[in-house]
Amino acid sequence: VLHVASPIPVAEPKDEQEVLGPAVDGTLRVLRAAAGCGVAKTVVTSSVAAVGMRPTEDPMTEKDWMDLGQAGISLYQRSKTMAERAAWDYVA
């Protein structure tokens, strides 16, 4: 099973849950449905939006996350970070 989508708003919605809800809940629904059907492997694609861009020569790993308190983070960046964190929490 592959889960590759996350909402990308053209304009900022009045309610950020219009983007955050589908991103996080959709990711968890896919993972739960796959597990419930006995799927052996599920791939959730990430984005650099979930780790952010930092000046470093070190490779980024699953321990690197976008700082959600950082000024100027887009709603898309927040949604990808929150959805991926929810996926990691689910499989932990």
Side-chain angles (χ1 to χ4, degrees):
V1 172
L2 298 172
H3 177 52
V4 298
S6 193
I8 301 175
V10 175
E12 287 292 310
K14 291 179 184 175
D15 181 0
E16 66 182 17
Q17 286 304 312
E18 291 178 29
V19 174
L20 298 178
V24 174
D25 296 339
T27 298
L28 291 174
R29 276 194 299 272
V30 167
L31 292 172
R32 289 182 186 126
C37 291
V39 172
K41 184 181 278 189
T42 302
V43 176
V44 177
T45 60
S46 187
S47 168
V48 70
V51 294
M53 297 298 291
R54 294 185 283 289
T56 180
E57 293 185 19
D58 298 325
M60 293 191 170
T61 71
E62 66 276 1
K63 294 178 182 161
D64 294 296
W65 291 102
M66 171 66 73
D67 176 3
L68 294 178
Q70 180 180 330
I73 293 176
S74 73
L75 187 53
Y76 176 75
Q77 289 171 303
R78 258 190 318 194
S79 73
K80 288 299 286 186
T81 304
M82 292 171 65
E84 185 170 337
R85 282 182 170 258
W88 279 104
D89 289 345
Y90 178 80
V91 299

